[in-house]
Amino acid sequence: MSGPDTGRTHARMLRVSTLALLLEGGVAMAVGTVTGRDGEPEPWEYGGGGLFLATLPCVTVFWFLAAVVVSAALVLPVVLLGEDLGRRLGGRPLWWHLALAALAGALAAPYAGVRGWLVAWAALSVAALLTRPARQGWFVALLVWGALAVVAVFMTGGIFLYATE
């Protein structure tokens, strides 16, 4: 008699890595909004807040699809190949994941320079390291703690901005 599959599957890994990338984007958006370095005008400056709210679902779908593509094309191969290289050549898979994420992040270097490579490397490394333990129940834990991290960044930044005014 077999119970439910509680191990790591490719579908679970894809869901977790997509969620990790979306949460990283949320933290980046929070930091960019709080520091004012996102380069975008405030939603109420051009077109009003209603236009911003109307375009939000379209932007959300675009970012979700981009996260799924990056997860399938970059994060999953980094995780699986890193574990395979760790078994075959020795060493901890963590170091292989970091090295492979650096190689995959180099795809952004021609378009965004060294800073883009560093950002891509950090994003892929975090997503790969969060994807490794993708067992049953890990998605919900990552969702809860990741959402709390995004809210904490917004709250801390808001408090800081309010205190400096």
Side-chain angles (χ1 to χ4, degrees):
M1 183 172 205
S2 65
D5 183 21
T6 60
R8 189 175 73 173
T9 64
H10 291 293
R12 282 192 183 116
M13 290 172 63
L14 184 64
R15 285 192 304 259
V16 167
S17 63
T18 301
L19 177 64
L21 290 172
L22 289 173
L23 289 171
E24 287 175 15
V27 169
M29 185 180 74
V31 169
T33 301
V34 168
T35 61
R37 298 187 181 172
D38 56 359
E40 296 291 322
E42 295 296 330
W44 52 85
E45 287 181 15
Y46 302 107
L51 182 62
F52 174 72
L53 290 176
T55 60
L56 194 58
C58 298
V59 173
T60 303
V61 169
F62 169 74
W63 285 112
F64 175 75
L65 292 175
V68 169
V69 168
V70 170
S71 292
L74 296 175
V75 176
L76 290 184
V78 163
V79 171
L80 296 173
L81 186 59
E83 290 176 353
D84 190 45
L85 287 173
R87 277 192 303 272
R88 291 176 189 254
L89 302 176
R92 295 185 60 190
L94 168 74
W95 300 113
W96 289 108
H97 291 137
L98 294 176
L100 292 171
L103 287 175
L107 296 173
Y111 304 106
V114 175
R115 287 185 182 171
W117 171 73
L118 288 173
V119 169
W121 178 41
L124 291 174
S125 296
V126 169
L129 295 177
L130 288 174
T131 301
R132 285 184 64 204
R135 309 253 189 272
Q136 185 178 11
W138 178 241
F139 181 84
V140 174
L142 182 63
L143 179 64
V144 169
W145 288 107
L148 285 174
V150 172
V151 169
V153 168
F154 266 121
M155 293 291 291
T156 305
I159 291 169
F160 177 75
L161 286 177
Y162 181 75
T164 58
E165 285 184 2

Coordinates of all heavy atoms in Angstrom, one line a residue, residues 55-122:
T55 N -4.0 48.3 -14.9 CA -2.9 47.6 -15.6 C -2.2 46.5 -14.7 O -1.5 45.7 -15.2 CB -1.8 48.5 -16.1 OG1 -1.3 49.2 -15.0 CG2 -2.4 49.5 -17.1
L56 N -2.5 46.6 -13.4 CA -1.8 45.6 -12.5 C -2.1 44.1 -12.8 O -1.1 43.4 -12.8 CB -2.2 46.0 -11.1 CG -1.4 45.3 -9.9 CD1 0.0 45.8 -10.1 CD2 -1.9 45.8 -8.6
P57 N -3.3 43.7 -13.1 CA -3.5 42.3 -13.5 C -2.7 41.9 -14.7 O -2.1 40.8 -14.7 CB -5.0 42.2 -13.7 CG -5.6 43.3 -13.0 CD -4.6 44.4 -13.1
C58 N -2.6 42.7 -15.7 CA -1.8 42.4 -16.9 C -0.3 42.2 -16.6 O 0.3 41.3 -17.1 CB -2.0 43.5 -18.0 SG -3.7 43.6 -18.5
V59 N 0.2 43.2 -15.8 CA 1.6 43.1 -15.4 C 1.9 41.9 -14.6 O 2.9 41.2 -14.7 CB 2.0 44.4 -14.7 CG1 3.4 44.3 -14.1 CG2 1.8 45.6 -15.6
T60 N 0.9 41.5 -13.7 CA 1.1 40.4 -12.8 C 1.2 39.1 -13.7 O 2.0 38.2 -13.4 CB -0.1 40.3 -11.8 OG1 -0.1 41.5 -11.1 CG2 0.1 39.1 -10.9
V61 N 0.3 39.0 -14.7 CA 0.3 37.8 -15.5 C 1.7 37.7 -16.3 O 2.2 36.6 -16.4 CB -0.9 37.8 -16.5 CG1 -0.7 36.8 -17.6 CG2 -2.2 37.6 -15.7
F62 N 2.1 38.8 -16.8 CA 3.4 38.9 -17.5 C 4.5 38.4 -16.6 O 5.4 37.6 -17.0 CB 3.7 40.3 -18.0 CG 5.1 40.4 -18.5 CD1 5.5 39.9 -19.8 CD2 6.0 41.1 -17.8 CE1 6.7 40.0 -20.2 CE2 7.3 41.2 -18.3 CZ 7.7 40.7 -19.5
W63 N 4.6 38.9 -15.4 CA 5.7 38.5 -14.5 C 5.6 37.1 -14.1 O 6.6 36.4 -13.9 CB 5.7 39.4 -13.3 CG 6.3 40.8 -13.6 CD1 5.7 42.0 -13.6 CD2 7.7 41.0 -14.0 NE1 6.6 42.9 -14.0 CE2 7.8 42.4 -14.3 CE3 8.8 40.2 -14.2 CZ2 9.0 43.0 -14.7 CZ3 10.0 40.8 -14.7 CH2 10.0 42.1 -14.9
F64 N 4.3 36.6 -13.9 CA 4.2 35.2 -13.6 C 4.7 34.3 -14.7 O 5.4 33.3 -14.5 CB 2.7 34.9 -13.3 CG 2.4 33.4 -13.1 CD1 2.8 32.8 -11.9 CD2 1.8 32.6 -14.1 CE1 2.5 31.5 -11.7 CE2 1.6 31.3 -13.9 CZ 1.9 30.7 -12.7
L65 N 4.3 34.6 -16.0 CA 4.8 33.8 -17.1 C 6.3 33.9 -17.2 O 6.9 32.9 -17.5 CB 4.1 34.3 -18.4 CG 2.6 34.0 -18.5 CD1 2.0 34.6 -19.7 CD2 2.3 32.5 -18.4
A66 N 6.9 35.0 -17.0 CA 8.3 35.2 -17.1 C 9.0 34.3 -16.0 O 10.0 33.7 -16.2 CB 8.7 36.7 -16.9
A67 N 8.4 34.3 -14.8 CA 9.0 33.5 -13.7 C 8.9 32.0 -14.0 O 9.8 31.3 -13.7 CB 8.2 33.8 -12.4
V68 N 7.8 31.6 -14.6 CA 7.7 30.2 -15.0 C 8.7 29.8 -16.1 O 9.4 28.7 -16.0 CB 6.3 29.8 -15.5 CG1 6.2 28.5 -16.1 CG2 5.3 30.0 -14.4
V69 N 8.9 30.7 -17.0 CA 9.9 30.4 -18.1 C 11.3 30.4 -17.5 O 12.1 29.4 -17.8 CB 9.8 31.4 -19.2 CG1 11.0 31.4 -20.2 CG2 8.5 31.2 -20.0
V70 N 11.7 31.3 -16.6 CA 13.0 31.3 -16.0 C 13.2 30.1 -15.1 O 14.3 29.5 -15.1 CB 13.2 32.7 -15.3 CG1 14.5 32.6 -14.4 CG2 13.3 33.8 -16.2
S71 N 12.1 29.7 -14.4 CA 12.2 28.5 -13.6 C 12.5 27.3 -14.4 O 13.4 26.5 -14.0 CB 10.9 28.4 -12.8 OG 10.8 29.4 -11.9
A72 N 11.8 27.1 -15.5 CA 11.9 25.9 -16.3 C 13.2 25.9 -17.1 O 13.9 24.9 -17.2 CB 10.7 25.8 -17.2
A73 N 13.6 27.1 -17.5 CA 14.8 27.1 -18.4 C 16.1 27.3 -17.6 O 17.2 26.8 -18.1 CB 14.7 28.3 -19.4
L74 N 16.1 27.9 -16.5 CA 17.4 28.1 -15.8 C 17.4 27.5 -14.4 O 18.4 26.9 -14.0 CB 17.6 29.6 -15.6 CG 17.8 30.4 -17.0 CD1 17.9 31.9 -16.7 CD2 19.0 29.9 -17.7
V75 N 16.4 27.7 -13.5 CA 16.5 27.3 -12.1 C 16.5 25.7 -12.0 O 17.4 25.2 -11.3 CB 15.4 27.9 -11.3 CG1 15.5 27.4 -9.9 CG2 15.5 29.4 -11.3
L76 N 15.6 25.1 -12.7 CA 15.5 23.6 -12.6 C 16.8 23.0 -13.1 O 17.3 22.0 -12.5 CB 14.3 23.1 -13.3 CG 13.0 23.3 -12.6 CD1 11.8 22.7 -13.3 CD2 13.0 22.9 -11.1
P77 N 17.3 23.4 -14.3 CA 18.6 22.8 -14.7 C 19.7 23.1 -13.8 O 20.6 22.2 -13.6 CB 18.8 23.4 -16.1 CG 17.5 23.8 -16.6 CD 16.7 24.2 -15.4
V78 N 19.8 24.2 -13.1 CA 20.8 24.5 -12.2 C 20.8 23.6 -11.0 O 21.8 23.0 -10.5 CB 20.8 26.0 -11.7 CG1 21.6 26.2 -10.4 CG2 21.3 26.9 -12.8
V79 N 19.6 23.3 -10.5 CA 19.4 22.4 -9.3 C 19.7 21.0 -9.7 O 20.5 20.3 -9.0 CB 17.9 22.5 -8.8 CG1 17.7 21.5 -7.8 CG2 17.7 23.9 -8.2
L80 N 19.2 20.5 -10.8 CA 19.4 19.1 -11.2 C 20.8 18.8 -11.6 O 21.4 17.8 -11.2 CB 18.4 18.7 -12.3 CG 16.9 18.8 -11.8 CD1 16.0 18.5 -13.0 CD2 16.6 17.8 -10.7
L81 N 21.4 19.7 -12.4 CA 22.7 19.5 -12.8 C 23.7 19.7 -11.7 O 24.7 19.0 -11.6 CB 23.1 20.5 -13.9 CG 24.5 20.4 -14.6 CD1 24.6 19.0 -15.2 CD2 24.7 21.4 -15.7
G82 N 23.5 20.6 -10.7 CA 24.3 20.8 -9.6 C 24.3 19.5 -8.7 O 25.4 19.1 -8.2
E83 N 23.2 18.9 -8.5 CA 23.2 17.7 -7.7 C 23.8 16.6 -8.4 O 24.5 15.8 -7.8 CB 21.7 17.3 -7.4 CG 21.1 18.3 -6.4 CD 19.6 18.0 -6.1 OE1 19.1 17.2 -6.8 OE2 19.1 18.7 -5.2
D84 N 23.7 16.5 -9.7 CA 24.3 15.4 -10.5 C 25.9 15.6 -10.5 O 26.6 14.6 -10.3 CB 23.8 15.4 -11.9 CG 24.3 14.2 -12.7 OD1 24.2 13.1 -12.1 OD2 24.7 14.4 -13.9
L85 N 26.3 16.8 -10.7 CA 27.8 17.1 -10.6 C 28.3 16.8 -9.2 O 29.5 16.3 -9.1 CB 28.1 18.5 -11.0 CG 27.9 18.8 -12.5 CD1 28.1 20.3 -12.8 CD2 28.9 18.0 -13.3
G86 N 27.6 17.1 -8.2 CA 28.0 16.8 -6.8 C 28.2 15.3 -6.6 O 29.1 14.9 -5.9
R87 N 27.3 14.5 -7.2 CA 27.4 13.1 -7.0 C 28.5 12.5 -7.9 O 29.3 11.7 -7.4 CB 26.1 12.4 -7.5 CG 25.0 12.4 -6.5 CD 23.9 11.4 -6.9 NE 23.3 11.8 -8.2 CZ 22.3 12.7 -8.3 NH1 21.8 13.3 -7.3 NH2 21.8 13.0 -9.5
R88 N 28.7 13.0 -9.1 CA 29.7 12.5 -10.0 C 31.1 12.9 -9.7 O 32.1 12.2 -9.7 CB 29.4 12.8 -11.4 CG 28.2 12.1 -11.9 CD 27.9 12.5 -13.4 NE 26.6 12.0 -13.8 CZ 26.5 11.0 -14.7 NH1 27.5 10.5 -15.2 NH2 25.3 10.6 -15.0
L89 N 31.3 14.2 -9.4 CA 32.6 14.8 -9.3 C 33.0 15.1 -7.8 O 34.1 15.4 -7.5 CB 32.7 16.1 -10.1 CG 32.4 16.0 -11.5 CD1 32.5 17.4 -12.2 CD2 33.4 15.0 -12.2
G90 N 32.0 14.9 -6.9 CA 32.3 15.1 -5.5 C 32.0 16.6 -5.1 O 31.7 17.4 -6.0
G91 N 32.1 16.8 -3.9 CA 31.8 18.2 -3.4 C 30.4 18.3 -3.0 O 29.5 17.5 -3.3
R92 N 30.1 19.4 -2.3 CA 28.7 19.7 -1.9 C 27.9 20.2 -3.1 O 28.5 21.1 -3.8 CB 28.7 20.6 -0.8 CG 29.4 20.1 0.5 CD 29.2 21.0 1.7 NE 27.8 21.2 1.9 CZ 27.4 22.1 2.8 NH1 28.3 22.9 3.4 NH2 26.1 22.3 3.0
P93 N 26.7 19.8 -3.3 CA 25.9 20.4 -4.3 C 25.7 21.9 -4.2 O 25.5 22.6 -5.2 CB 24.6 19.6 -4.2 CG 24.9 18.4 -3.5 CD 26.0 18.7 -2.6
L94 N 25.8 22.4 -3.0 CA 25.6 23.9 -2.8 C 26.6 24.6 -3.7 O 26.2 25.6 -4.3 CB 25.8 24.2 -1.3 CG 25.9 25.7 -1.0 CD1 24.5 26.3 -1.1 CD2 26.5 25.9 0.4
W95 N 27.8 24.2 -3.7 CA 28.8 25.0 -4.4 C 28.6 24.8 -5.9 O 28.9 25.8 -6.7 CB 30.2 24.5 -4.0 CG 30.5 24.8 -2.6 CD1 30.7 23.8 -1.6 CD2 30.5 26.0 -1.9 NE1 30.8 24.4 -0.4 CE2 30.7 25.8 -0.5 CE3 30.4 27.3 -2.3 CZ2 30.8 26.8 0.4 CZ3 30.5 28.3 -1.4 CH2 30.7 28.1 -0.1
W96 N 28.2 23.7 -6.3 CA 27.8 23.5 -7.8 C 26.7 24.3 -8.2 O 26.6 24.9 -9.3 CB 27.6 22.0 -8.1 CG 28.8 21.2 -8.0 CD1 29.1 20.2 -7.1 CD2 29.9 21.2 -9.0 NE1 30.3 19.7 -7.3 CE2 30.8 20.2 -8.5 CE3 30.1 21.9 -10.1 CZ2 32.0 20.0 -9.2 CZ3 31.3 21.6 -10.8 CH2 32.2 20.7 -10.3
H97 N 25.7 24.4 -7.3 CA 24.5 25.3 -7.6 C 24.9 26.8 -7.7 O 24.5 27.4 -8.7 CB 23.5 25.2 -6.5 CG 22.8 23.9 -6.4 ND1 22.5 23.2 -5.3 CD2 22.3 23.1 -7.4 CE1 21.9 22.1 -5.5 NE2 21.8 22.0 -6.8
L98 N 25.8 27.2 -6.8 CA 26.3 28.6 -6.9 C 27.1 28.9 -8.2 O 26.9 29.9 -8.8 CB 27.1 29.0 -5.7 CG 26.3 29.0 -4.4 CD1 27.2 29.3 -3.2 CD2 25.1 30.0 -4.4
A99 N 27.9 27.9 -8.6 CA 28.7 28.1 -9.8 C 27.9 28.1 -11.0 O 28.0 28.9 -11.9 CB 29.8 27.0 -9.8
L100 N 26.9 27.1 -11.1 CA 26.0 27.1 -12.2 C 25.1 28.3 -12.3 O 24.8 28.7 -13.4 CB 25.2 25.7 -12.2 CG 26.0 24.5 -12.4 CD1 25.2 23.2 -12.1 CD2 26.6 24.4 -13.8
A101 N 24.7 28.8 -11.2 CA 23.9 30.0 -11.2 C 24.7 31.2 -11.7 O 24.1 32.0 -12.4 CB 23.3 30.3 -9.8
A102 N 25.9 31.2 -11.4 CA 26.8 32.3 -11.9 C 26.9 32.2 -13.4 O 26.9 33.2 -14.1 CB 28.2 32.2 -11.2
L103 N 27.1 30.9 -13.9 CA 27.1 30.8 -15.3 C 25.8 31.1 -16.0 O 25.8 31.8 -17.1 CB 27.5 29.3 -15.7 CG 28.9 28.9 -15.4 CD1 29.1 27.4 -15.7 CD2 29.9 29.7 -16.3
A104 N 24.7 30.7 -15.4 CA 23.4 31.1 -16.0 C 23.2 32.6 -15.9 O 22.6 33.2 -16.8 CB 22.3 30.3 -15.3
G105 N 23.6 33.2 -14.8 CA 23.5 34.6 -14.7 C 24.3 35.4 -15.7 O 24.0 36.6 -16.0
A106 N 25.3 34.8 -16.2 CA 26.1 35.5 -17.2 C 25.3 35.7 -18.5 O 25.7 36.5 -19.3 CB 27.4 34.6 -17.5
L107 N 24.2 35.1 -18.7 CA 23.3 35.4 -19.8 C 22.8 36.8 -19.8 O 22.5 37.4 -20.8 CB 22.2 34.4 -19.9 CG 22.5 32.9 -20.1 CD1 21.3 32.0 -19.9 CD2 23.2 32.7 -21.4
A108 N 22.7 37.4 -18.6 CA 22.2 38.8 -18.5 C 23.4 39.8 -18.7 O 23.1 41.0 -18.9 CB 21.6 39.0 -17.1
A109 N 24.6 39.4 -18.6 CA 25.7 40.3 -18.7 C 25.8 41.1 -20.0 O 26.0 42.3 -19.9 CB 27.0 39.6 -18.5
P110 N 25.5 40.6 -21.2 CA 25.6 41.4 -22.4 C 24.5 42.5 -22.4 O 24.7 43.5 -23.0 CB 25.4 40.4 -23.5 CG 25.7 39.1 -23.0 CD 25.4 39.1 -21.5
Y111 N 23.4 42.3 -21.7 CA 22.3 43.2 -21.7 C 22.3 44.2 -20.6 O 21.9 45.3 -20.7 CB 21.0 42.5 -21.7 CG 20.8 41.5 -22.8 CD1 20.9 40.1 -22.6 CD2 20.6 41.9 -24.1 CE1 20.9 39.2 -23.6 CE2 20.6 41.0 -25.2 CZ 20.7 39.6 -24.9 OH 20.6 38.7 -25.9
A112 N 22.8 43.8 -19.4 CA 22.8 44.6 -18.2 C 24.1 44.9 -17.6 O 24.2 45.5 -16.5 CB 21.8 43.9 -17.2
G113 N 25.2 44.4 -18.1 CA 26.5 44.6 -17.6 C 26.8 43.8 -16.3 O 26.1 42.8 -16.0
V114 N 27.8 44.2 -15.6 CA 28.2 43.5 -14.4 C 27.2 43.5 -13.3 O 26.9 42.5 -12.7 CB 29.6 44.0 -13.9 CG1 30.0 43.3 -12.6 CG2 30.7 43.8 -15.0
R115 N 26.5 44.6 -13.2 CA 25.5 44.7 -12.1 C 24.3 43.8 -12.5 O 23.8 43.1 -11.6 CB 25.0 46.1 -12.0 CG 25.9 47.0 -11.3 CD 25.4 48.4 -11.1 NE 26.3 49.3 -10.5 CZ 26.2 50.5 -10.4 NH1 25.1 51.1 -10.8 NH2 27.1 51.3 -9.8
G116 N 24.0 43.7 -13.7 CA 22.9 42.8 -14.1 C 23.3 41.3 -13.9 O 22.5 40.5 -13.5
W117 N 24.6 41.0 -14.1 CA 25.1 39.7 -13.9 C 25.0 39.3 -12.4 O 24.5 38.3 -12.0 CB 26.5 39.5 -14.4 CG 27.1 38.2 -14.0 CD1 26.8 37.0 -14.5 CD2 28.1 38.0 -12.9 NE1 27.5 36.0 -13.8 CE2 28.3 36.6 -12.9 CE3 28.7 38.9 -12.1 CZ2 29.2 36.1 -12.0 CZ3 29.6 38.3 -11.2 CH2 29.9 37.0 -11.2
L118 N 25.4 40.3 -11.6 CA 25.3 40.0 -10.1 C 23.9 39.9 -9.6 O 23.6 39.0 -8.8 CB 26.0 41.2 -9.4 CG 27.5 41.2 -9.5 CD1 28.1 42.5 -8.8 CD2 28.1 40.0 -8.8
V119 N 23.0 40.7 -10.1 CA 21.6 40.6 -9.8 C 21.0 39.2 -10.2 O 20.3 38.5 -9.5 CB 20.8 41.7 -10.3 CG1 19.3 41.5 -10.1 CG2 21.2 43.0 -9.6
A120 N 21.3 38.8 -11.5 CA 20.8 37.6 -12.0 C 21.4 36.4 -11.2 O 20.7 35.4 -10.9 CB 21.2 37.4 -13.5
W121 N 22.7 36.5 -10.9 CA 23.3 35.4 -10.1 C 22.7 35.3 -8.7 O 22.4 34.2 -8.3 CB 24.8 35.7 -10.0 CG 25.6 34.7 -9.2 CD1 25.4 33.3 -9.2 CD2 26.6 34.9 -8.2 NE1 26.3 32.7 -8.3 CE2 27.0 33.7 -7.7 CE3 27.2 36.1 -7.7 CZ2 28.0 33.6 -6.7 CZ3 28.2 36.0 -6.8 CH2 28.6 34.7 -6.3
A122 N 22.5 36.4 -8.1 CA 21.8 36.4 -6.8 C 20.4 35.8 -6.8 O 20.0 34.9 -6.0 CB 21.8 37.8 -6.1

